[in-house]
Amino acid sequence: MINSNSVIRILVTAWFIVAYIYLSHTPIDHRSHDLWGHVEYTKIIVTKHWLPTPREGSHTFHPPLYYLINSFIRPDKLITDINGHVNSFRWLSVLYGAMTIYVIWMFLVDIKVNPLVQLITLLFIATTPAFVFLFSTYNNDSIAMFLSIAAVATSYKLYLRWSLKLALVLTLIATLGIYSKYTSISCIASLILLCLLLILKNILKKESLNKSHVKVSAVLIISMILFIPWAMRNQHYNEM
């Protein structure tokens, strides 16, 4: 009988096989029309040693986390072997994909889904074209998607059992998600809205408030507040 630990081993192995086949048979810019805009962002950080202003490049309006990570890993290849640089970070996207599979698996374990159902569900997700395309390109979508899914799973775990340590983990994950791509804001905002609606439901039914809803929403709001310095910095440059 298959168990949950076997499921994740099978899934991660299957994912790396699928990713290897896909990367081995596609050019570096496949399904990535804006590849060179993302590469340009990293190159500005590496060569000029600063975070670019919003209009300094075609993609420099994005938050900086993805490009900062890229700039610290073999920055010399960005100058001497551009194709090698891109391929290295396509594989980093594959790693983000494996981490995403792991987080979804943990979530399914938390909600007590049958191991066979876990396997079928995750095999379907990991082999869909959209998942393969997303987690095989040089693009900030990969890390933003991973962190958004991790924020959802961690919020649920924190809702079930409050822990200051886990609250700090959620704050970090949610903040890093927003600093990866602006689209992560919609994920965090949706989680906050869900908590607030559940709080409102308690109030309308004259029930005692569920403190977990209040605490989780407060943690997520803090992550939004922590993004304000970057938003203000960009607004400053846009007004110049």
Side-chain angles (χ1 to χ4, degrees), residues 98-112:
M99 293 162 67
T100 301
I101 290 169
Y102 183 78
V103 168
I104 298 173
W105 169 75
M106 286 198 304
F107 178 74
L108 295 177
V109 170
D110 283 342
I111 62 176
K112 304 187 187 312

Side-chain angles (χ1 to χ4, degrees), residues 50-77:
W50 69 53
L51 294 176
T53 61
R55 290 176 288 184
E56 193 169 338
S58 63
H59 281 59
T60 53
F61 59 89
H62 283 293
L65 180 64
Y66 177 75
Y67 312 95
L68 274 171
I69 293 171
N70 291 5
S71 70
F72 281 107
I73 303 174
R74 290 297 305 277
D76 55 301
K77 290 188 74 172

Side-chain angles (χ1 to χ4, degrees), residues 25-226:
H25 291 82
T26 55
I28 61 173
D29 59 349
H30 191 63
R31 299 283 177 178
S32 184
H33 66 280
D34 55 355
L35 164 68
W36 300 113
H38 293 291
V39 172
E40 178 190 31
Y41 197 144
T42 306
K43 194 170 185 177
I44 291 172
I45 297 174
V46 170
T47 58
K48 298 185 178 180
H49 308 292
W50 69 53
L51 294 176
T53 61
R55 290 176 288 184
E56 193 169 338
S58 63
H59 281 59
T60 53
F61 59 89
H62 283 293
L65 180 64
Y66 177 75
Y67 312 95
L68 274 171
I69 293 171
N70 291 5
S71 70
F72 281 107
I73 303 174
R74 290 297 305 277
D76 55 301
K77 290 188 74 172
L78 186 58
I79 310 301
T80 61
D81 180 15
I82 190 68
N83 285 3
H85 169 81
V86 173
N87 274 321
S88 295
F89 290 98
R90 291 183 75 192
W91 273 107
L92 186 60
S93 289
V94 170
L95 179 60
Y96 294 141
M99 293 162 67
T100 301
I101 290 169
Y102 183 78
V103 168
I104 298 173
W105 169 75
M106 286 198 304
F107 178 74
L108 295 177
V109 170
D110 283 342
I111 62 176
K112 304 187 187 312
V113 172
N114 179 279
L116 182 59
V117 177
Q118 294 174 24
L119 179 64
I120 294 170
T121 302
L122 287 169
L123 272 176
F124 175 78
I125 291 172
T127 56
T128 55
F131 191 92
V132 177
F133 297 158
L134 178 67
F135 290 106
S136 63
T137 58
Y138 190 109
N139 194 302
N140 58 351
D141 282 315
S142 56
I143 190 172
M145 182 61 70
F146 158 62
L147 289 168
S148 294
I149 290 173
V152 173
T154 309
S155 295
Y156 179 73
K157 203 173 189 71
L158 192 60
Y159 160 73
L160 292 178
R161 185 175 181 180
W162 175 261
S163 157
L164 179 58
K165 181 179 178 180
L166 195 57
L168 293 173
V169 170
L170 178 58
T171 304
L172 180 63
I173 290 172
T175 304
L176 291 178
I178 299 172
Y179 272 91
S180 298
K181 192 169 185 179
Y182 294 114
T183 52
S184 297
I185 294 174
S186 61
C187 173
I188 305 305
S190 296
L191 290 171
I192 293 171
L193 179 60
L194 177 60
C195 289
L196 293 178
L197 288 174
L198 291 171
I199 292 170
L200 180 61
K201 177 185 174 183
N202 291 146
I203 293 173
L204 292 176
K205 288 190 173 184
K206 297 181 180 180
E207 299 171 347
S208 58
L209 289 180
N210 187 321
K211 292 182 179 179
S212 293
H213 297 152
V214 177
K215 291 177 178 178
V216 171
S217 60
V219 169
L220 294 170
I221 289 170
I222 289 171
S223 72
M224 300 277 269
I225 292 172
L226 291 173

